[in-house]
Amino acid sequence: MDGDAGLIAAAAVNPICLWCEGEFHPRKGGLPQRFCNSKHRDAFHSAGRRYAEHAVLNGQLTVADLRNGPAEACTLLGGQERRLDYPA
């Protein structure tokens, strides 16, 4: 099996953390787990808040955009990857 096929096979068995991109064993039940631990989930949300604040301060986003945006949680669909321009 070549390297890419191995990664794809591993991702099918164990999900990849959105923050560190490492494999993890998900908990059983509940909503799909996106992060390998709570520290990475908190780091992701903290970075998102900083990113949004900088976007508002730079005029790329308005507070009205945030206030009037979708109310539902934004989750990645299966097979969807994060944007390349999102800070790591």
Side-chain angles (χ1 to χ4, degrees):
M1 191 180 301
D2 67 37
D4 288 340
L7 287 175
I8 292 168
V13 174
N14 292 324
I16 305 296
C17 176
L18 289 177
W19 188 251
C20 71
E21 298 180 350
E23 289 183 39
F24 64 92
H25 297 285
R27 67 181 180 280
K28 299 203 185 293
L31 297 173
Q33 188 175 341
R34 306 289 185 207
F35 304 96
C36 60
N37 61 52
S38 61
K39 289 181 183 179
H40 288 180
R41 183 185 64 238
D42 291 344
F44 173 85
H45 289 291
S46 178
R49 288 188 298 272
R50 286 192 311 272
Y51 185 87
E53 183 177 3
H54 288 288
V56 169
L57 294 175
N58 291 325
Q60 298 168 316
L61 185 67
T62 68
V63 174
D65 293 332
L66 293 172
R67 190 180 309 117
N68 299 323
E72 68 276 358
C74 178
T75 58
L76 296 177
L77 300 174
Q80 189 177 7
E81 296 185 20
R82 66 186 167 104
R83 290 178 37 174
L84 295 177
D85 62 341
Y86 187 80

